[in-house]
Amino acid sequence: MLDKNGIAKRIAKEIKDGYYVNLGIGIPTLVANYIPEGINVVLQSENGLLGMGPFPFEGEEDADLINAGKQTITTLPGSSIFDSALSFGMIRSQKIDLTILGAMEVSEYGDIANWKIPGKMVKGMGGAMDLVASAKNIIVAMQHVNKAGESKLLPSCTLPLTGVKCIKKIVTELAVLDVLPEGGFKLIERAPGVSVDYIRQATAGKLYADDDVPEMAFG
Amino acid sequence: MLDKNGIAKRIAKEIKDGYYVNLGIGIPTLVANYIPEGINVVLQSENGLLGMGPFPFEGEEDADLINAGKQTITTLPGSSIFDSALSFGMIRSQKIDLTILGAMEVSEYGDIANWKIPGKMVKGMGGAMDLVASAKNIIVAMQHVNKAGESKLLPSCTLPLTGVKCIKKIVTELAVLDVLPEGGFKLIERAPGVSVDYIRQATAGKLYADDDVPEMAFG
Amino acid sequence: MINKVVSGPEEAISDIENGQTLMLGGFGLCGIPENCINALVKKGVSGLTCISNNAGVDDFGIGLMLQQRQVKKMISSYVGENAEFERQLLSGELEVELIPQGTLATRCMAAGYGMPAIFTPAGVGTEVAEGKEVRNFNGKDYLMEYAFEADFALVKAWKGDTAGNLIFRSTSRNFNPVMAMAGKVTIAEVEELVEAGSLDPDHIHTPGVFVHRIFQGKGYEKRIEQRTVRTRN
Amino acid sequence: MINKVVSGPEEAISDIENGQTLMLGGFGLCGIPENCINALVKKGVSGLTCISNNAGVDDFGIGLMLQQRQVKKMISSYVGENAEFERQLLSGELEVELIPQGTLATRCMAAGYGMPAIFTPAGVGTEVAEGKEVRNFNGKDYLMEYAFEADFALVKAWKGDTAGNLIFRSTSRNFNPVMAMAGKVTIAEVEELVEAGSLDPDHIHTPGVFVHRIFQGKGYEKRIEQRTVRTRN
């Protein structure tokens, strides 16, 4: 079973040389720490930056330079700044190759819910609805089951949707799964030491698994 | 009867302090020479400039700095450069206070034709259709009659339209006229020495004139 | 050039009235019009509809206006980090319309570009789409979203000139340029106000034609919401 | 950063094929992609649809491609100043679609912003409106105009870096930034190519993400179409 960093590390393997990538808040942010050496990747922050760098050294924080999670950051050589309309313009026109974000629930048709729990304080969707509606390539980083032990990979979402039929790949603490165009989760890889049966039990939606599902490999 | 510079001089009186103005090609360009002293006006060039200045001194022409008529120009202090989409964005959102352009024909309902003569080579409408469709305040600078002696102020346009019901004021070599909301040209001023009857004869559309129409005053 | 300079935030906002709609630039606490917000709090104008990506924190930014109960409605994409906001929302004192961040930015832009409506796929199939026109282009569904109308837009720039031209610094640009284009009256506060002609025309982010009033602000706090740092090895 | 540098115009345009749709930046002869046009003429690719505000003059710009009969269709707002153009048009060899200048710019922008269509009042009630959807918003009629699709966008910038970021100079900016955003493949030629990190991120007009190939052009003629000057008193 993977921890958050393990999930981030596995997702990082999906990043190809030359990709522009948008990382959501939470586990997706950790992915930046595991981008393979020698790979040129540009991180977009949807408030209006391409070429996001690491956190600043202490004392070098700049209040005018933050990411979409409102964290102080730095820029890398070759970065560019733009307004929020152009930022979502490039998201809608699919110039961003890969979007990685968290989810509360994903359905076996690729619907995603990650912004609202009825009856609880609603903070807002931020840029999530724009991202899931536009991105050509989305990976969800999430826990396979919630704290109550219930599956978050469902036949259909119970929470208000963020987007419909948009998720194609999911990485959890247990597995890597593809969402099949005709519906259903296809088990691609198991976390080290986790059995197909265990994953099947943790998956409420339809799960398809070949006889021989490989364990995840890390770099 | 006015010459081209006279028409331009009379139109310049319509420009108020603080106006952003777009000047079309031909007589409208001449208006810039007669803007009253002490009046702050910013000229827009729709290829992407606010704050157009006079022609450069000989030897100081810059191929990268032209106006919408493709003439070499200069910028004034406080000018700004932008792309053509933003330029027409500010035109559509009516940030330009006054547009002055030429016309082949104007109808008594304020329709304008100034871009195409069927059977002749058509050069294109350039920005004229955008300007007439969006501007809140348009003055047409034109000859009252064509070379064949036919009126260009008509009951309805005979040439393909540039825009409909958009012209509110016309300045010709003979007169200043308003286009009435209910239709018809209202004679506001006569050119020096030109009679109301003369203007009536030169106007094919409905002409309304009070008993006592003043002569134009200049500065 | 046309001189847009006013004496300060009090004069700039003096004609903002109860019940009007304001746009406020900024993302989180980054690039917010601090001086104008403080002047609005002082003036005590109320019943406002505020279009702003976020709602500040309890004791900074729009949060200060919330504490004074000056806001009737927020139109935002994300409103966390604010306990007073939450209290007013749950008690029904405050109305909130949550819309996707890109939709928010693009509806501002649409106003500035004189486009009455735009199409975006954001929110199709979700509760955001309720009551909205859905239209299919090339096999994909889009929502039609209307341009915003705001009585005033309040923006914060780094440098500005007396002709109203604005230059923003780093990611404090965010929503400021699109809101600057969208206000019926746009008020810009800047850290440094210079004479027209001091700024390179090629560097200007917001042409002065969109800005009606400009002043040099004072005492910028520029608070950091999430201070994240790394240590030197 | 992702390196977008190619060796020159020949490599940059090597996969442009007969019958494709190209956008070409520039207004008049100002800010046109001179090197790319010359390479297209040399390559002899034909049957092209060219989206460009103008069509050059007889012996410069797109006029050179017209002389070689490489252009099947022009989509422009103004096509004067070109005798060969006129001859081909009147003889039926060349197809021309004339559209308002703002509509042209905005349809490019729409493609770059992922908006399938936009609304504009330009052309309502004229022959430009024929066959188009008219829609009323707040009492005013607008035409619905579709985003352009172009296989390649060819743009000219002043400075660019190896990451594809572009800075334009003065009014040679014109259509270049909106077309740069709209090409399926965007090729930028620049007067000066610098290393990533040499340009101020706040000064960049076109972020590198929109640019697929970049090279430093040679021998810019930058011809002036209407040389107008005043004399010193």
Side-chain angles (χ1 to χ4, degrees), chain B residues 179-202:
Chain B
V179 179
L180 298 174
E182 66 274 21
F185 300 104
K186 173 78 190 276
L187 183 58
I188 304 296
E189 293 173 20
R190 298 172 294 114
V194 176
S195 70
V196 172
D197 274 354
Y198 190 93
I199 295 165
R200 194 179 294 282
Q201 283 209 314

Side-chain angles (χ1 to χ4, degrees), chain A residues 55 61-62 64 72 116 123, chain C residues 79 127 169 171 228 230:
Chain A
F55 295 149
E61 310 92 290
D62 179 348
D64 288 338
T72 46
K116 183 176 186 176
K123 296 193 168 185
Chain C
V79 292
E127 63 181 57
R169 184 175 173 275
T171 60
T228 44
R230 64 189 151 136

Side-chain angles (χ1 to χ4, degrees), chain B residues 55 61-62 64 72 116 123, chain D residues 79 127 169 171 228 230:
Chain B
F55 295 149
E61 311 92 286
D62 179 348
D64 288 337
T72 46
K116 183 176 185 176
K123 295 192 169 184
Chain D
V79 293
E127 62 181 58
R169 183 174 174 277
T171 60
T228 46
R230 62 189 152 136

Side-chain angles (χ1 to χ4, degrees), chain D residues 90-105:
Chain D
L90 295 175
S91 73
E93 289 167 71
L94 179 66
E95 197 185 334
V96 175
E97 187 180 343
L98 291 169
I99 61 178
Q101 191 175 337
T103 301
L104 182 72

